[in-house]
Amino acid sequence: MVACMPQYNLWKRRRKRIDMRTQIAIIGGGPSGLSLARKLSLAGIDCRILERRSRAHVLSRIRAGVLEQGTVDQLRNADAAHRLDRYGLLHDGCSLSDGKDMFRVDFKKLSGKSVTVYGQTEITRDLYDALDDSGVAIHHETESLEILNIDTEVPEIRWTEQGMRKSLRCDFVAGCDGYHGPSRAAIPTSQRTEFNKSYPFGWLGILSETPPVDEELIYVRSSRGFALASMRNPSLSRYYLQVPADEDPTEWSDDRFWNELRRRLPEQAADTIVTGPSIEKSVAPLRSFVCEPIQYGRLFLCGDAAHIVPPTGAKGLNLAASDVYYLSSALIDYYLENNWEGIRDYSQRALRRVWKSMRFSWWMTNMLHQFPDRDPFDLRIQDSEFNFVRDSENGRRAMAENYTGLPY
Ligand code: RFL
Ligand code: PHB
């Protein structure tokens, strides 16, 4: 028995759980989780972030590029927009093309607002730097995360980190863990409804260290499929092509990509393409998805954990920012003013705005892509939708108002 003791103590030490306490446990260190943490910490509310991946991995994900004015304002309020203000590109409009002709939608003139082109990777980096300054704890490479007791006053998160078991008790849980994270599944299936639409295609995207084809974005509805010419900065281009949903990106050499892009862009843009090696190439599926409600007990979902839009309207990250606005305001009102109203109504308030962007992204996607199963009637309607935007100032105004962001 005595001989067994050291081994028993070692086992006990290994099995021992490290217990922690915070006000808000934030699951997921993407844009939603990081910006929520920043806003809460500035208001003096204690929080911790639990992120499944390493910081380097999170920072290497190339995703969104277009920010609504409201998103920029949120980042400024969070004192995390110094680099954005310096390097972000203000765009007062964008162009639409049918593959031959091109017309401009003047956001500034039609809606009084602009958008800012600034990569999600940069936003994430800025938020990490800001959080380092405010001393918020971020646990990386968390494994086997479990969300417990969300319908009680003391929810608990358990996980493993570097082989150690950890537990975090909290007042509230923010599920900011993206579409595939565990938060949404913690709401019992009987208590949530999921609305789903998938599209029979994906986007093949590349990033290339070449100057963009134009000063503004060009969305193209070509007979060969949709194409988008976007950018990150004056010497970094981002291009997308509509491809079948199950397309293998390794089937696309750089030359094949550039040739296809040239065939889809209108001539005036195709002639100015500067090609070069791609530094990233991947296929993203397109999906519209909403979970209702996005709160249950003391758990609140934010961003992609709650909803997904196809990227055509550039709304995903912007919706994450509006969810964070509603949730951070609700939590701040609760802790600072003892006011429960925002917490009670979070799902309803956030989803009212989500559904409007859901409609816009679905509408842009429908207007600009080639659908394999469309009949001649559908095709004429699609033509008319595009022609209405081209020919009617009110059509373009509606697009400008939605694209630059509806009010919170
Ligand atoms: P994220 O970015 O998916 O972050 C979720 C985080 O949670 C972590 N996680 C976990 N952590 C702990 N435990 C677990 N078990 C976990 N499971 C997951 C993940 O590792 C991750 O770090 O969600 P978030 O924060 O809600 O942010 C949403 C945005 O990333 C997304 O909406 C946008 O990228 C969408 N999007 C665009 N949005 C725009 O507003 N404008 C655009 O121009 C735009 N372009 C795009 C896009 C998305 C794209 N793809 C790849 C889907 C273009 C593309 C191609
Ligand atoms: C991007 O630059 O990645 C981008 C821009 C506009 C979109 C989608 C993606 O609609």
Side-chain angles (χ1 to χ4, degrees):
M1 182 64 191
V2 173
C4 288
M5 280 306 277
Q7 241 184 344
Y8 172 72
N9 284 338
L10 189 67
W11 175 81
K12 239 176 76 177
R13 211 169 39 221
R14 273 211 198 113
R15 299 300 304 161
K16 194 169 174 295
R17 206 176 49 218
I18 299 172
D19 293 323
M20 290 169 278
R21 178 83 174 82
T22 189
Q23 288 174 305
I24 318 293
I26 299 176
I27 307 174
S32 303
L34 297 170
S35 53
L36 179 66
R38 175 66 176 167
K39 280 169 165 266
L40 296 178
S41 68
L42 286 177
I45 299 169
D46 189 50
C47 56
R48 272 174 189 268
I49 299 178
L50 313 175
E51 165 57 51
R52 187 167 63 103
R53 302 290 199 159
S54 68
R55 186 162 170 156
H57 181 97
V58 175
L59 286 172
S60 69
R61 290 193 292 231
I62 316 279
R63 285 189 177 175
V66 176
L67 309 182
E68 295 172 355
Q69 185 58 51
T71 306
V72 172
D73 292 343
Q74 292 305 306
L75 289 161
R76 285 194 186 130
N77 291 342
D79 195 16
H82 303 290
R83 287 199 322 128
L84 188 159
D85 282 332
R86 186 150 179 213
Y87 300 111
L89 306 173
L90 207 62
H91 282 204
D92 290 339
C94 78
S95 293
L96 297 191
S97 166
D98 57 6
K100 293 191 188 73
D101 301 316
M102 204 156 90
F103 64 92
R104 183 165 183 263
V105 181
D106 189 329
F107 301 150
K108 189 79 183 171
K109 185 178 126 213
L110 295 164
S111 72
K113 290 196 276 185
S114 310
V115 292
T116 301
V117 170
Y118 188 69
Q120 179 167 331
T121 322
E122 304 306 314
I123 294 179
T124 312
R125 184 185 304 282
D126 296 346
L127 285 166
Y128 269 127
D129 289 349
L131 287 171
D132 287 347
D133 287 345
S134 39
V136 171
I138 308 180
H139 299 261
H140 278 285
E141 301 186 64
T142 57
E143 290 169 49
S144 312
L145 185 139
E146 288 177 279
I147 306 165
L148 307 166
N149 308 328
I150 48 171
D151 49 0
T152 72
E153 289 193 354
V154 194
E156 182 183 355
I157 314 293
R158 288 188 189 170
W159 72 98
T160 306
E161 190 180 329
Q162 293 179 331
M164 274 182 291
R165 293 178 340 129
K166 297 194 174 174
S167 151
L168 179 62
R169 288 200 169 82
C170 56
D171 299 340
F172 299 101
V173 180
C176 303
D177 45 0
Y179 182 68
H180 300 287
S183 294
R184 192 174 60 253
I187 302 180
T189 44
S190 62
Q191 302 298 315
R192 66 182 142 96
T193 308
E194 297 191 343
F195 301 84
N196 247 307
K197 180 159 288 294
S198 59
Y199 303 88
F201 41 74
W203 279 16
L204 171 66
I206 67 159
L207 194 66
S208 144
E209 282 170 332
T210 50
V213 78
D214 194 74
E215 283 177 359
E216 293 178 343
L217 271 63
I218 310 176
Y219 288 86
V220 190
R221 171 186 177 253
S222 141
S223 57
R224 298 180 64 86
F226 170 82
L228 169 60
S230 181
M231 67 197 70
R232 289 293 174 272
N233 62 48
S235 50
L236 195 56
S237 302
R238 181 84 167 140
Y239 294 105
Y240 296 99
L241 293 176
Q242 174 185 352
V243 292
D246 57 358
E247 191 78 341
D248 176 359
T250 62
E251 296 285 313
W252 285 78
S253 65
D254 288 351
D255 278 349
R256 183 178 172 202
F257 188 96
W258 293 120
N259 286 335
E260 184 60 30
L261 182 68
R262 228 179 253 117
R263 297 176 81 168
R264 293 190 192 185
L265 292 185
E267 205 176 311
Q268 69 220 78
D271 286 348
T272 65
I273 293 181
V274 180
T275 62
S278 64
I279 50 177
E280 198 262 353
K281 196 184 282 154
S282 56
V283 173
L286 266 68
R287 176 187 299 124
S288 299
F289 168 84
V290 184
C291 171
E292 272 187 13
I294 54 173
Q295 72 187 88
Y296 176 74
R298 287 180 170 245
L299 169 71
F300 304 91
L301 306 180
C302 273
D304 281 14
H307 38 73
I308 297 283
V309 281
T312 328
K315 289 288 167 234
L317 179 61
N318 293 299
L319 282 180
S322 68
D323 286 356
V324 166
Y325 165 79
Y326 291 114
L327 184 57
S328 60
S329 312
L331 292 169
I332 292 168
D333 281 355
Y334 168 70
Y335 282 108
L336 273 55
E337 317 272 344
N338 201 19
N339 178 353
W340 268 96
E341 226 174 81
I343 288 189
R344 186 194 61 203
D345 298 341
Y346 166 69
S347 179
Q348 197 195 330
R349 286 187 184 165
L351 285 178
R352 199 179 303 140
R353 189 170 188 281
V354 164
W355 273 111
K356 291 182 193 164
S357 293
M358 212 36 76
R359 185 206 67 82
F360 177 67
S361 309
W362 166 88
W363 172 79
M364 283 267 287
T365 304
N366 273 287
M367 179 174 67
L368 296 174
H369 290 77
Q370 293 298 327
F371 286 73
D373 54 355
R374 279 209 164 139
D375 63 26
F377 179 88
D378 296 337
L379 290 170
R380 289 289 188 277
I381 294 290
Q382 191 188 27
D383 282 347
S384 303
E385 197 71 61
F386 184 85
N387 295 343
F388 178 64
V389 177
R390 185 190 59 201
D391 300 338
S392 155
E393 184 165 298
N394 284 334
R396 290 195 299 283
R397 181 172 292 113
M399 179 178 157
E401 189 185 355
N402 279 279
Y403 194 92
T404 56
L406 296 172
Y408 285 7

mmCIF file of all heavy atoms in Angstrom, residues 63 65-66 203 217 219 228 230-232 238 240 311-314 403, ligand 2:
data_model
loop_
_atom_site.group_PDB
_atom_site.id
_atom_site.type_symbol
_atom_site.label_atom_id
_atom_site.label_comp_id
_atom_site.label_asym_id
_atom_site.label_seq_id
_atom_site.Cartn_x
_atom_site.Cartn_y
_atom_site.Cartn_z
ATOM 1 N N ARG A 63 -10.761 35.271 -44.992
ATOM 2 C CA ARG A 63 -12.222 35.244 -45.191
ATOM 3 C C ARG A 63 -12.734 36.596 -45.657
ATOM 4 O O ARG A 63 -12.404 37.050 -46.712
ATOM 5 C CB ARG A 63 -12.901 34.794 -43.907
ATOM 6 C CG ARG A 63 -12.740 33.296 -43.690
ATOM 7 C CD ARG A 63 -13.582 32.881 -42.558
ATOM 8 N NE ARG A 63 -13.572 31.461 -42.294
ATOM 9 C CZ ARG A 63 -14.192 30.936 -41.262
ATOM 10 N NH1 ARG A 63 -14.839 31.710 -40.411
ATOM 11 N NH2 ARG A 63 -14.165 29.635 -41.068
ATOM 12 N N GLY A 65 -13.943 40.520 -46.373
ATOM 13 C CA GLY A 65 -13.163 41.678 -46.784
ATOM 14 C C GLY A 65 -13.920 42.990 -46.801
ATOM 15 O O GLY A 65 -13.299 44.039 -46.894
ATOM 16 N N VAL A 66 -15.263 42.946 -46.699
ATOM 17 C CA VAL A 66 -16.034 44.184 -46.854
ATOM 18 C C VAL A 66 -16.775 44.508 -45.555
ATOM 19 O O VAL A 66 -17.561 43.692 -45.062
ATOM 20 C CB VAL A 66 -17.055 44.033 -48.013
ATOM 21 C CG1 VAL A 66 -17.917 45.278 -48.124
ATOM 22 C CG2 VAL A 66 -16.337 43.779 -49.330
ATOM 23 N N TRP A 203 -17.809 28.706 -54.052
ATOM 24 C CA TRP A 203 -16.905 29.733 -54.590
ATOM 25 C C TRP A 203 -15.476 29.236 -54.461
ATOM 26 O O TRP A 203 -15.028 28.864 -53.366
ATOM 27 C CB TRP A 203 -17.007 31.026 -53.787
ATOM 28 C CG TRP A 203 -18.159 31.920 -54.113
ATOM 29 C CD1 TRP A 203 -19.281 31.605 -54.814
ATOM 30 C CD2 TRP A 203 -18.280 33.306 -53.708
ATOM 31 N NE1 TRP A 203 -20.107 32.706 -54.872
ATOM 32 C CE2 TRP A 203 -19.525 33.755 -54.202
ATOM 33 C CE3 TRP A 203 -17.488 34.174 -52.972
ATOM 34 C CZ2 TRP A 203 -19.968 35.059 -53.992
ATOM 35 C CZ3 TRP A 203 -17.934 35.463 -52.760
ATOM 36 C CH2 TRP A 203 -19.173 35.903 -53.279
ATOM 37 N N LEU A 217 -15.003 46.865 -56.246
ATOM 38 C CA LEU A 217 -15.334 45.456 -56.504
ATOM 39 C C LEU A 217 -16.197 45.338 -57.766
ATOM 40 O O LEU A 217 -17.010 46.224 -58.048
ATOM 41 C CB LEU A 217 -16.114 44.870 -55.323
ATOM 42 C CG LEU A 217 -15.276 44.257 -54.202
ATOM 43 C CD1 LEU A 217 -14.406 45.302 -53.540
ATOM 44 C CD2 LEU A 217 -16.172 43.587 -53.171
ATOM 45 N N TYR A 219 -18.890 42.600 -59.376
ATOM 46 C CA TYR A 219 -19.692 41.370 -59.286
ATOM 47 C C TYR A 219 -20.183 41.036 -60.701
ATOM 48 O O TYR A 219 -20.828 41.857 -61.336
ATOM 49 C CB TYR A 219 -20.911 41.582 -58.392
ATOM 50 C CG TYR A 219 -20.599 41.697 -56.914
ATOM 51 C CD1 TYR A 219 -20.257 42.916 -56.339
ATOM 52 C CD2 TYR A 219 -20.680 40.587 -56.080
ATOM 53 C CE1 TYR A 219 -19.989 43.022 -54.977
ATOM 54 C CE2 TYR A 219 -20.422 40.682 -54.710
ATOM 55 C CZ TYR A 219 -20.077 41.904 -54.168
ATOM 56 O OH TYR A 219 -19.826 42.004 -52.825
ATOM 57 N N LEU A 228 -16.230 37.258 -59.027
ATOM 58 C CA LEU A 228 -16.088 38.474 -58.213
ATOM 59 C C LEU A 228 -14.628 38.890 -58.213
ATOM 60 O O LEU A 228 -13.739 38.077 -57.938
ATOM 61 C CB LEU A 228 -16.567 38.194 -56.778
ATOM 62 C CG LEU A 228 -16.266 39.253 -55.715
ATOM 63 C CD1 LEU A 228 -16.900 40.598 -56.053
ATOM 64 C CD2 LEU A 228 -16.768 38.788 -54.342
ATOM 65 N N SER A 230 -12.279 41.181 -56.187
ATOM 66 C CA SER A 230 -12.197 41.950 -54.946
ATOM 67 C C SER A 230 -10.723 42.205 -54.624
ATOM 68 O O SER A 230 -9.840 41.985 -55.464
ATOM 69 C CB SER A 230 -12.905 41.189 -53.819
ATOM 70 O OG SER A 230 -12.872 41.920 -52.619
ATOM 71 N N MET A 231 -10.471 42.668 -53.429
ATOM 72 C CA MET A 231 -9.077 43.037 -53.095
ATOM 73 C C MET A 231 -8.923 43.093 -51.583
ATOM 74 O O MET A 231 -9.906 43.083 -50.830
ATOM 75 C CB MET A 231 -8.778 44.413 -53.673
ATOM 76 C CG MET A 231 -9.576 45.511 -53.001
ATOM 77 S SD MET A 231 -9.626 47.032 -53.915
ATOM 78 C CE MET A 231 -10.637 46.611 -55.304
ATOM 79 N N ARG A 232 -7.692 43.190 -51.134
ATOM 80 C CA ARG A 232 -7.399 43.473 -49.728
ATOM 81 C C ARG A 232 -6.681 44.809 -49.593
ATOM 82 O O ARG A 232 -6.863 45.530 -48.653
ATOM 83 C CB ARG A 232 -6.547 42.351 -49.120
ATOM 84 C CG ARG A 232 -7.314 41.062 -48.914
ATOM 85 C CD ARG A 232 -8.402 41.231 -47.839
ATOM 86 N NE ARG A 232 -9.245 40.036 -47.731
ATOM 87 C CZ ARG A 232 -10.337 39.813 -48.452
ATOM 88 N NH1 ARG A 232 -10.754 40.704 -49.325
ATOM 89 N NH2 ARG A 232 -11.039 38.718 -48.293
ATOM 90 N N ARG A 238 -8.158 39.658 -54.466
ATOM 91 C CA ARG A 238 -8.941 38.491 -54.066
ATOM 92 C C ARG A 238 -9.975 38.252 -55.169
ATOM 93 O O ARG A 238 -10.753 39.169 -55.488
ATOM 94 C CB ARG A 238 -9.626 38.806 -52.725
ATOM 95 C CG ARG A 238 -10.477 37.677 -52.161
ATOM 96 C CD ARG A 238 -9.648 36.687 -51.404
ATOM 97 N NE ARG A 238 -10.442 35.767 -50.602
ATOM 98 C CZ ARG A 238 -10.161 34.471 -50.487
ATOM 99 N NH1 ARG A 238 -9.126 33.945 -51.126
ATOM 100 N NH2 ARG A 238 -10.883 33.697 -49.710
ATOM 101 N N TYR A 240 -12.915 35.439 -56.939
ATOM 102 C CA TYR A 240 -13.738 34.245 -56.732
ATOM 103 C C TYR A 240 -14.400 33.832 -58.043
ATOM 104 O O TYR A 240 -14.784 34.686 -58.849
ATOM 105 C CB TYR A 240 -14.863 34.526 -55.730
ATOM 106 C CG TYR A 240 -14.415 34.862 -54.322
ATOM 107 C CD1 TYR A 240 -14.348 36.183 -53.896
ATOM 108 C CD2 TYR A 240 -14.093 33.871 -53.405
ATOM 109 C CE1 TYR A 240 -13.957 36.509 -52.592
ATOM 110 C CE2 TYR A 240 -13.709 34.174 -52.102
ATOM 111 C CZ TYR A 240 -13.645 35.505 -51.705
ATOM 112 O OH TYR A 240 -13.270 35.818 -50.420
ATOM 113 N N PRO A 311 -21.727 34.269 -49.231
ATOM 114 C CA PRO A 311 -20.872 35.465 -49.174
ATOM 115 C C PRO A 311 -21.219 36.560 -50.180
ATOM 116 O O PRO A 311 -20.658 37.651 -50.119
ATOM 117 C CB PRO A 311 -19.464 34.916 -49.430
ATOM 118 C CG PRO A 311 -19.666 33.610 -50.103
ATOM 119 C CD PRO A 311 -20.976 33.073 -49.636
ATOM 120 N N THR A 312 -22.161 36.294 -51.081
ATOM 121 C CA THR A 312 -22.453 37.238 -52.170
ATOM 122 C C THR A 312 -22.777 38.655 -51.682
ATOM 123 O O THR A 312 -22.403 39.632 -52.314
ATOM 124 C CB THR A 312 -23.618 36.705 -53.035
ATOM 125 O OG1 THR A 312 -23.562 35.292 -53.037
ATOM 126 C CG2 THR A 312 -23.534 37.235 -54.440
ATOM 127 N N GLY A 313 -23.476 38.782 -50.565
ATOM 128 C CA GLY A 313 -23.817 40.126 -50.072
ATOM 129 C C GLY A 313 -22.800 40.697 -49.111
ATOM 130 O O GLY A 313 -23.002 41.795 -48.587
ATOM 131 N N ALA A 314 -21.724 39.950 -48.835
ATOM 132 C CA ALA A 314 -20.658 40.362 -47.903
ATOM 133 C C ALA A 314 -21.222 40.672 -46.520
ATOM 134 O O ALA A 314 -20.898 41.693 -45.912
ATOM 135 C CB ALA A 314 -19.903 41.567 -48.471
ATOM 136 N N TYR A 403 -26.472 46.881 -48.995
ATOM 137 C CA TYR A 403 -25.056 46.503 -49.059
ATOM 138 C C TYR A 403 -24.232 47.270 -48.031
ATOM 139 O O TYR A 403 -23.342 46.726 -47.375
ATOM 140 C CB TYR A 403 -24.522 46.760 -50.475
ATOM 141 C CG TYR A 403 -23.190 46.100 -50.760
ATOM 142 C CD1 TYR A 403 -23.127 44.827 -51.320
ATOM 143 C CD2 TYR A 403 -21.987 46.741 -50.467
ATOM 144 C CE1 TYR A 403 -21.909 44.208 -51.578
ATOM 145 C CE2 TYR A 403 -20.768 46.141 -50.723
ATOM 146 C CZ TYR A 403 -20.736 44.872 -51.280
ATOM 147 O OH TYR A 403 -19.523 44.269 -51.527
HETATM 148 C C1 PHB B 2 -13.853 39.333 -50.283
HETATM 149 O O1 PHB B 2 -13.105 40.265 -50.626
HETATM 150 O O2 PHB B 2 -13.420 38.311 -49.739
HETATM 151 C C2 PHB B 2 -15.305 39.433 -50.550
HETATM 152 C C3 PHB B 2 -15.833 40.619 -50.995
HETATM 153 C C4 PHB B 2 -17.192 40.720 -51.257
HETATM 154 C C5 PHB B 2 -18.009 39.612 -51.086
HETATM 155 C C6 PHB B 2 -17.471 38.424 -50.622
HETATM 156 C C7 PHB B 2 -16.119 38.322 -50.352
HETATM 157 O O3 PHB B 2 -19.327 39.710 -51.376
#
